[in-house]
Amino acid sequence: MNNSFIAPFARPVYVMVKPVGSVCNLACDYCYYLEKGRLYPDIKNHIMSEQLLEKFVREYLACQTVPQVLFTWHGGEPLMRPISFYRKALELQKKYGGGRQIDNCIQTNGTLLTDEWCRFFKENNFLVGISIDGPQEFHDEYRRNRQGLPSYFKVRKGIDLLKKHGVEYNAMAVVNDYNVDYPLEFYHFFKEMDCRYIQFAPIVERVALHHDGTHLTTPEEQDAAIRLAPFSVDSEKWGAFLCALFDEWVKEDVGTYFVQLFDATLANWVGEEPGVCTMAQRCGHAGVMEFNGDLYACDHYVFPEYKLGNIHTHSLTEMMYSPRQIAFGDNKQATLPGECRACDYLFACNGECPKNRFLHTAAGEPGLNYLCKGYKKFFAHVAPYMDFMKREILAGRPPANVMLIDN
Ligand code: SF4
Ligand code: SF4
């Protein structure tokens, strides 16, 4: 039986919100979102109105089927809206929440953080995700403002403020062509900062110039003019990066430092839902709502052909459970090439993100993931450890026992 048919409402509706669309005070070279502003050339201010905020909060809360609700504020740079916008959001959450537990998280580049922001986040239990690409030299290679000025010191200052106020935060680091050869420098940097939740995200983009001035392509676009963006990470180097990082982590950090991809791999090893969509069986769980109410299938599929509708004309439930969005979710498995279906690691990889599936297999079939070689290397490398941790979990013992074996 078709899974999407029996359980479309098994998961809560989840939509990330863009209070300022793609507007940002930085202009990082590899940003996949900056150019999304070009989708709205006729709108002057890409700012979510308070009317739309109220409509969204009311509807989002009304369509939840669970007692705990998560709001995620995303960008662009969401701190380009003033604190008053988020205070209003909290008021509305209270007004329409019906006593449910409501959590908020916000993803920021960290450069606009102040004491006032941090006090606000602490008082209201926000989880703050900070984008920082490791040590200064790595970070400043691509994370700069429009004038080309680097951002590292402002981000570090922002992190210091979060720590000073005791705000819960995690780090998101982009692994690219420039820093991929330095996994241990990366990892030690985060450990020295005592950052315990770390997400390493490989960057892969293909670019071509479109008539509207945008550059990013969907995997469906196949054209001789399309090229791999120069900042993209090399697949085999990505595998080597993960292996080196894992070797360090598995020696002494299991259970104290949390690397999202390692947790997700272990989750798949034991048959649990992984905490990151790229490793999950299905897509389409997290929609994205732009500043004007347009809803898209996923943060990485904000393309006109993946627009689900607008909250002014369709309900969130209608759009998130529309046949199109369900098909978007199902396609992750349905479009796997034979090489993935026959792969020993399919259960752990699930073909990774469809955005990266633009290669052809050796047999000439389309849809192979650009990062495949790297992931195969990583899964083969960690398999004995994952097998061990799985046995420990099944026996009711802590997976951290893996640190006691002879590494
Ligand atoms: S397309 Fe990629 S980023 Fe989007 S839900 Fe699927 S795996 Fe996640
Ligand atoms: S490792 Fe490669 S072949 Fe195996 S499932 Fe992942 S992308 Fe497919």
Side-chain angles (χ1 to χ4, degrees), residues 6 40 57 79 89 93 103 123 127 132 148 150 152 173 192 261 272 283 308 360-361 389 400:
I6 56 171
Y40 304 102
V57 172
L79 299 199
Q93 289 173 353
D103 297 312
E123 278 162 21
L127 170 64
I132 178 166
Y152 176 80
E192 276 158 28
L261 187 60
E272 296 285 332
C283 292
L308 299 169
H360 284 73
T361 64
M389 287 192 276

Side-chain angles (χ1 to χ4, degrees), residues 277-278 282-284 298-301 328 332 352-355:
C277 61
T278 52
R282 295 171 48 80
C283 292
C298 158
D299 198 34
H300 288 278
Y301 275 83
F328 177 76
K332 182 163 186 185
E352 212 247 9
C353 178
K355 173 181 82 68

